[in-house]
Amino acid sequence: MGRKALISGITGQDGSYLAEHLIELGFEVHGLVRRVALEQPDERLGRLGHLLDQVKLHPCSIESYASVFSILSRERFDHCYHLAAQSFVAESFVDGFSTMNTNTNGTHYLLAALRELQPGCRFYFAGSSEMFGKVQETPQRETTPFHPRSPYGISKVAGYYLTMNYREAYNMFCVSGILFNHESPRRGYEFVTRKISRTAAKIKLGLAHELRLGNLDAKRDWGHAQDYVRAMRMMLEQDTPDDYVIATGETHAVREFCERAFAEVGLDYRDYVKQDPQFYRPAEVDLLVGDASKARAALGWAPVRTFPELVREMVQHDLESLSRPRSSHLASASN
Ligand code: G4F
């Protein structure tokens, strides 16, 4: 019998790469999606277009325990990857209530339903380097104290401790991956890397004339999402459950991402990037850089893509997709 995996958030960047990875390994892959995604597949299932005949999608609201319980009472899984979340940090300052509700209760509902119905299913929680927030040490590792700086970061700390509590209290195989920023051509347009790569490509093609950003001095440890989903699966295949930092160990400023992305299309970012107060956050995370040596030693995980390769891939993808005729470019809008 092949193994079965359930992915919440399968329509997102990480969910789509993880689904591909698990299918390649022979898993039967199921995904939880909002009903509206099934009603508007062209807009909402874009990243899964090439996989739709290989995954089974279940309409589900992770904000409803009954909805989660109902799916888990119908299908049994070996792995459950909980990636669904309101993941845009800036939005969490605008609507902290729904961010906390979706991210905290969604995690709790899945854990509680698994405990009730299939406690042997291995559970992965998408933790985040945003939990370190105002960092207490550099680089950040599994033992670094948390100091979240946004409702999003706080919701992830809550999810992390819920996951740990189910592991300790009920002896379930529950782990958190503390993933640092990870990007790709499938990244949502609201995140800074994709906003930069897309707008640099637009400016090059004469479709935009400037790029408005917030804090250019914030530093992030940016890896490639395709490398990071491998680590999620590896964590669930260990003998004992544990939490791991996943990061490249390098940090770069937003300004440097701009510099490289614009250089990729032969432009100087200083001629186009304008700082705009509307994109500043009420509390910023100034510097993130992770130490993934535990994951390297225990999982044998290491990133493959470098930072310059990541920037190049994103900009070239946006340049190509924007250069295509309108209909085909819509089809690949969220690749
Ligand atoms: O791309 P960002 O929005 O990502 P952020 O806030 O670091 O969070 C991402 O990574 C986390 C892992 O550490 C995930 F948990 C989370 O879900 C998400 O995927 O912003 C990166 C930096 C910030 O310092 C922000 O202030 O870029 C700065 N920035 C400057 N101008 C901007 C902009 N960010 C956005 N989104 N848009 C701007 O115009």
Side-chain angles (χ1 to χ4, degrees):
M1 278 269 285
R3 289 184 294 173
K4 274 170 72 170
L6 178 66
I7 305 174
S8 78
I10 193 170
T11 59
Q13 167 187 260
D14 295 4
S16 63
Y17 281 127
L18 179 63
E20 273 169 17
H21 177 62
L22 294 174
I23 288 167
E24 268 170 28
L25 294 174
F27 278 81
E28 181 181 317
V29 174
H30 293 235
L32 301 182
V33 295
R34 292 179 190 278
R35 177 161 294 285
V36 69
L38 296 175
E39 288 161 2
Q40 301 172 322
D42 291 347
E43 290 88 62
R44 303 198 184 235
L45 298 180
R47 297 183 181 93
L48 286 179
H50 58 302
L51 295 178
L52 282 178
D53 56 348
Q54 297 172 73
V55 294
K56 185 167 174 192
L57 301 180
H58 303 272
C60 175
S61 165
I62 59 155
E63 285 116 6
S64 155
Y65 181 69
S67 176
V68 171
F69 189 92
S70 156
I71 308 258
L72 290 175
S73 58
R74 278 184 269 131
E75 302 264 4
R76 296 198 71 76
F77 299 101
D78 300 284
H79 289 183
C80 174
Y81 297 89
H82 178 38
L83 313 183
Q86 192 302 95
S87 63
F88 187 31
V89 174
E91 170 61 20
S92 80
F93 287 107
V94 178
D95 188 354
F97 293 103
S98 59
T99 300
M100 292 294 288
N101 183 32
T102 304
N103 296 5
T104 309
N105 289 341
T107 306
H108 202 178
Y109 295 156
L110 261 172
L111 282 164
L114 283 173
R115 177 189 168 213
E116 190 71 21
L117 298 166
Q118 29 189 321
C121 175
R122 296 184 170 206
F123 178 83
Y124 172 86
F125 172 65
S128 163
S129 52
E130 281 292 306
M131 301 191 303
F132 297 123
K134 189 173 180 186
V135 298
Q136 305 295 297
E137 66 174 338
T138 296
Q140 296 83 48
R141 48 180 70 90
E142 292 80 2
T143 49
T144 303
F146 297 139
H147 187 139
R149 296 269 280 172
S150 63
Y152 170 83
I154 295 164
S155 74
K156 287 288 172 179
V157 171
Y160 170 89
Y161 281 118
L162 280 165
T163 303
M164 179 188 282
N165 189 238
Y166 272 71
R167 177 166 80 218
E168 293 176 353
Y170 310 117
N171 205 22
M172 289 167 63
F173 195 112
C174 298
V175 307
S176 291
I178 306 173
L179 270 52
F180 282 61
N181 297 51
H182 44 288
E183 319 293 314
S184 77
R186 297 186 190 177
R187 192 55 148 147
Y189 298 128
E190 68 273 38
F191 297 96
V192 78
T193 55
R194 190 76 195 280
K195 186 172 169 184
I196 297 167
S197 67
R198 184 106 176 139
T199 312
K202 279 189 175 172
I203 292 172
K204 178 67 180 176
L205 296 171
L207 302 172
H209 63 280
E210 67 174 16
L211 169 58
R212 303 193 83 83
L213 293 175
N215 181 8
L216 299 183
D217 298 316
K219 289 183 153 183
R220 290 290 182 276
D221 180 332
W222 278 298
H224 195 296
Q226 218 168 3
D227 285 340
Y228 286 33
V229 299
R230 281 189 291 114
M232 298 177 187
R233 192 259 312 158
M234 288 168 159
M235 286 179 216
L236 291 197
E237 292 186 333
Q238 298 307 295
D239 291 338
T240 49
D242 206 349
D243 306 320
Y244 298 90
V245 158
I246 300 298
T248 69
E250 278 181 31
T251 193
H252 302 272
V254 172
R255 187 186 303 284
E256 188 186 340
F257 199 103
C258 290
E259 195 177 342
R260 284 184 179 275
F262 278 80
E264 193 61 35
V265 293
L267 301 173
D268 185 332
Y269 82 98
R270 291 171 296 187
D271 297 333
Y272 302 96
V273 172
K274 308 272 179 306
Q275 285 188 273
D276 185 334
Q278 72 164 301
F279 296 112
Y280 281 82
R281 295 174 182 179
E284 177 63 283
V285 171
D286 296 319
L287 165 75
L288 290 174
V289 57
D291 173 1
S293 45
K294 179 175 165 186
R296 283 176 190 263
L299 309 178
W301 176 86
V304 175
R305 311 303 211 300
T306 64
F307 178 68
E309 286 168 353
L310 172 69
V311 181
R312 186 169 311 124
E313 184 187 340
M314 291 180 71
V315 175
Q316 290 304 334
H317 171 90
D318 282 328
L319 209 49
E320 280 160 32
S321 73
L322 287 164
S323 306
R324 274 187 236 131
R326 187 80 185 136
S327 55
S328 57
H329 127 233
L330 267 185
S332 71
S334 47
N335 270 354

